[in-house]
Amino acid sequence: ARMLLSHTSSLRDDAGYNFPAEVSMQSFLVPGGAHYGDGKQWAGQAESAKAGDFAPGHFFHYVNLNWGVLGSVMEAVTGQRFDVLMQELVLRPLHITGAYHPESLSAHDVADLAVLYRKQKNEVWDVHGPWVAQTDDLHAQVPEPRAALAHYVPGTNATLFSPQGGLRISVRGLSHIMLMLMNQGESDGVRFLQASTVQTMLSQQWRYDPLRLNGDDYRGLFQSWGLGVQRFMDVSAAHYGDRLLPPSVQTTSNGFSAIGHLGFAYGLESGFFFDPRSKNGMIYVIGGVGADPETHLGNYSSLSIWEEEILSALYQHLQ
């Protein structure tokens, strides 16, 4: 579990990370399984042509599949579906309205659900074209429950709930999680996590070493990782690094060395960052972009240029 949370396992996304109900994690991960294929879900197959030590625990590579495996393990241990379990363990205790699929939201909340857009259709960007709805374009109608869930056996395939990023949640809801972590596991005076648990989550499990090439740093964006959270180390160069503030902003000698996570999907660009020392935090959500982020990188980091501008404006507002 520690390797999965720190992205240092030998799993990879090359064979996919969202599967229909009839695909079990066992049949997908175990050689000889009905859905094992040619084994590209393992680093030995996915990266055999590259140099490096890809054995478990040695190499960082961000993998969405990790969350599907962890969710399936949680289901197997508890006997409950991942989405139901997260309602009981996290969302309701923290007074957060949210769900891992719109079918589980009320009509009121579906009507308030943001649609993600981008100027991309069939994988082609057109900056002069129309905005194209990407997901959750429900016209305020609650979707019917998925038929496959009626006979789903918890512990077999939690990718059905997209634990890697399918949670529909508001910025206010995210702030409840951030405040809990800032306060060492307390939320509104109630103990949610032990302080030692939060400390372990936020502590460094992996750090990029350019000499050993011990991970895929994704153009410098990934420099350090805890358990389920990214550690931003203030590394900066032209179009490279994980710095969250422009070089012109004078903070401490360490800049804004924050803890958090980024989100990219269907045009969405989002960020959740906080400094455990100062207890300053920033959350942003962009509902879609009109041009390819890969060709509009920032000036001093691997983030997009519009993310850099939003973060600069947010930080100036904090002062």
Side-chain angles (χ1 to χ4, degrees), residues 30-160:
V30 178
H35 301 97
Y36 185 77
D38 55 6
K40 288 185 178 178
Q41 57 272 52
W42 295 105
Q45 295 295 321
E47 300 168 311
S48 58
K50 301 177 184 179
D53 183 356
F54 302 117
H58 289 261
F59 191 88
F60 173 92
H61 188 96
Y62 189 92
V63 178
N64 292 286
L65 178 61
N66 291 357
W67 306 107
V69 174
L70 285 165
S72 300
V73 171
M74 292 168 64
E75 290 186 340
V77 170
T78 63
Q80 289 186 292
R81 279 177 15 192
F82 174 80
D83 59 332
V84 175
L85 191 61
M86 291 298 286
Q87 288 284 349
E88 293 183 359
L89 294 180
V90 179
L91 299 178
R92 282 201 289 269
L94 291 178
H95 307 292
I96 295 172
T97 298
Y100 280 84
H101 195 278
E103 66 192 8
S104 301
L105 292 170
S106 68
H108 175 271
D109 292 324
V110 166
D112 201 34
L113 192 62
V115 182
L116 296 181
Y117 294 89
R118 57 183 164 182
K119 290 192 174 184
Q120 184 193 63
K121 188 174 184 179
N122 299 325
E123 303 302 319
V124 177
W125 288 93
D126 182 1
V127 296
H128 303 295
W131 289 97
V132 181
Q134 304 292 312
T135 188
D136 291 350
D137 188 17
L138 301 172
H139 302 278
Q141 299 298 311
V142 180
E144 293 293 324
R146 289 168 289 173
L149 297 184
H151 306 289
Y152 174 68
V153 178
T156 56
N157 177 13
T159 70
L160 289 172

Side-chain angles (χ1 to χ4, degrees), residues 89-90 93-94 96 173-188 190-195 197-198 201-202 272 274 279:
L89 294 180
V90 179
L94 291 178
I96 295 172
L174 288 171
S175 73
H176 291 188
I177 296 173
M178 181 178 287
L179 288 168
M180 179 272 294
L181 293 172
M182 280 183 178
N183 292 314
Q184 296 293 302
E186 279 197 10
S187 175
D188 293 330
V190 177
R191 174 61 59 185
F192 179 75
L193 292 174
Q194 295 298 321
T197 299
V198 175
M201 286 175 59
L202 306 187
F272 171 106
F274 71 96
K279 295 190 176 182

Side-chain angles (χ1 to χ4, degrees), residues 2 194-205 226-227 229:
R2 186 179 293 269
Q194 295 298 321
S196 58
T197 299
V198 175
Q199 184 176 359
T200 301
M201 286 175 59
L202 306 187
S203 64
Q204 182 168 282
Q205 306 295 317
L227 295 179
V229 294

